[in-house]
Amino acid sequence: MKALVALILLVQLPVHKAVPAAPPPPLGCDDPESEAAAEVAVNYINGHSHHGYKFALNRIEDIRVVPQGPNNAIIFLELDLLETKCPILSPTPLENCTVRSFAEHAVEGDCDVKLQKVNGTLSVLASKCHSHADSSEDILKVCADCPLLASLNNTEVLETVSAALNDYNSKTTDSYLRLLEIGRAKIQYHPGHIVVAEFAVGATNCSAEEAKANVGACQLLPEDQSNFGFCTAVMVKRPSQDLQVDCQLYGHQVPAPDIPLLSQDTSAGLPPSAVGFTNHNLRLAHNNPVASESSSSEIFRSLLSAKSVTKRAVAAAAQHDKVPRPVGFVPPPPPCPGKIRHFDI
């Protein structure tokens, strides 16, 4: 009888079910973890870009974290970047590179990046970027006399680059330099007519004197001896005529195993007339060859999927905010987008 009563009491005892742990709050765009991921992403983007200039982080637009198990997560980032004054070939660390001012006709980069975090270590699986210059109208509203970016195949730009390179090579006793690519150009018409062009160069296996005899035989130095540099040319066409050229060579640089040097690009060493016609296009779509996910198309599909999911989440949050709040209620700041570090385009 006592055993039966004990069994009845045991059955009537409340059963306490295990309460699942609440999911962690969404990661904000300005959280330290987000900024650490963005830093890894920006370094990866600059390290795998072969054209133009290094880009610096301006804003983290969005972040989404997808847990993959203990100590493992996939991170999707949307980043706004701004062009700096450091050419992509420059050895100057990014933190020492100056972001171009708004009045210099700034260029913005938009990037989607997928990272993996395993045991606290971040690595980039894939990145996809494009860039665009700010509108001419925006620049002229702030600075009516500021020269605007010119097309890289503009006749005056090509003439300036060709004249500057010829002038430099005629005065140097070092290696003959060949054009790699034109990076940026501007033309000012008032009060004077001035053309400013910036372009990347590479040293060849000829001296400047040897090049006079047979310039066609001069080839870029092999990878184990490569020496790249960057030049700025200023040609005054009116009221007077003048040409100033300043070139800086960086010395030999050893690339990472999966990062080719600029000299291996299809534009390397071509004459000015063969250089690309677009300005500052951050044409980067890179799949990490050592990533655990080997399918590039699959990675980029997941990038797009993450963006659509994020947009739906933002819309849902906006709908939720329409619910009446108590008097004096101050909603927490939105986790994204993050702060603007330089200026908005």
Side-chain angles (χ1 to χ4, degrees):
M1 186 65 179
K2 290 183 179 179
L4 179 60
V5 172
L7 180 60
I8 294 173
L9 291 175
L10 182 61
V11 170
Q12 292 177 341
L13 288 176
V15 178
H16 297 283
K17 295 183 179 180
V19 179
L27 203 58
C29 281
D30 291 331
D31 289 349
E33 297 91 334
S34 304
E35 295 185 342
E39 181 180 1
V40 171
V42 172
N43 287 337
Y44 181 90
I45 290 165
N46 285 324
H48 289 79
S49 178
H50 307 142
H51 299 278
Y53 303 83
K54 296 180 182 181
F55 278 74
L57 178 64
N58 188 39
R59 190 184 208 183
I60 302 175
E61 281 288 333
D62 199 15
I63 182 168
R64 177 171 173 249
V65 180
V66 182
Q68 298 288 296
N71 302 319
N72 188 354
I74 299 296
I75 301 174
F76 297 93
L77 282 175
E78 285 186 55
L79 304 177
D80 285 345
L81 312 181
L82 286 175
E83 182 189 82
T84 73
K85 295 184 179 181
C86 289
I88 203 67
L89 291 171
S90 172
T92 303
L94 180 61
E95 57 267 23
N96 295 336
C97 295
T98 303
V99 170
R100 289 193 188 271
S101 69
F102 181 84
E104 290 179 278
H105 208 159
V107 175
E108 180 182 40
D110 299 312
C111 295
D112 295 327
V113 187
K114 181 177 182 179
L115 305 95
Q116 187 173 36
K117 187 173 186 179
V118 180
N119 295 323
T121 301
L122 289 161
S123 59
V124 174
L125 298 179
S127 59
K128 190 171 187 178
C129 300
H130 69 276
S131 59
H132 63 277
D134 194 11
S135 69
S136 301
E137 292 78 9
D138 288 347
I139 301 297
L140 296 177
K141 286 178 184 177
V142 177
C143 180
D145 297 327
C146 288
L148 301 174
L149 286 173
S151 175
L152 300 182
N153 69 333
N154 179 283
T155 301
E156 290 187 280
V157 172
L158 297 177
E159 289 175 349
T160 298
V161 172
S162 181
L165 201 50
N166 289 336
D167 182 76
Y168 182 88
N169 280 321
S170 69
K171 296 175 181 178
T172 184
T173 58
D174 297 325
S175 296
Y176 179 80
L177 300 183
R178 288 183 63 184
L179 176 68
L180 296 178
E181 68 171 9
I182 301 174
R184 167 180 270 257
K186 294 194 290 185
I187 302 177
Q188 177 179 311
Y189 295 99
H190 302 287
H193 189 172
I194 302 172
V195 182
V196 180
E198 301 176 6
F199 53 97
V201 294
T204 68
N205 57 356
C206 297
S207 67
E209 188 64 29
E210 291 170 338
K212 294 177 182 178
N214 185 9
V215 68
C218 299
Q219 302 297 321
L220 290 170
L221 292 172
E223 185 174 300
D224 59 349
Q225 304 171 34
S226 60
N227 187 7
F228 300 119
F230 207 76
C231 301
T232 301
V234 179
M235 178 177 280
V236 180
K237 307 186 79 171
R238 194 183 64 247
S240 60
Q241 292 193 344
D242 183 39
L243 175 64
Q244 298 179 6
V245 187
D246 178 41
C247 293
Q248 178 187 5
L249 292 177
Y250 301 132
H252 176 56
Q253 298 179 60
V254 180
D258 65 324
I259 304 175
L261 290 167
L262 185 60
S263 64
Q264 297 172 316
D265 190 80
T266 54
S267 68
L270 296 178
S273 60
V275 176
F277 297 164
T278 56
N279 272 308
H280 318 93
N281 188 1
L282 191 59
R283 303 179 299 273
L284 179 65
H286 195 272
N287 176 36
N288 191 337
V290 299
S292 57
E293 301 184 34
S294 59
S295 171
S296 177
S297 59
E298 183 64 30
I299 287 178
F300 288 124
R301 277 199 299 270
S302 62
L303 280 171
L304 295 174
S305 173
K307 293 183 73 170
S308 63
V309 169
T310 300
K311 288 179 180 178
R312 290 197 300 270
V314 170
Q319 187 68 29
H320 180 70
D321 284 343
K322 295 179 182 179
V323 177
R325 302 291 188 184
V327 176
F329 174 80
V330 179
C336 286
K339 63 186 178 185
I340 294 174
R341 289 160 171 76
H342 300 284
F343 51 84
D344 193 19
I345 290 185

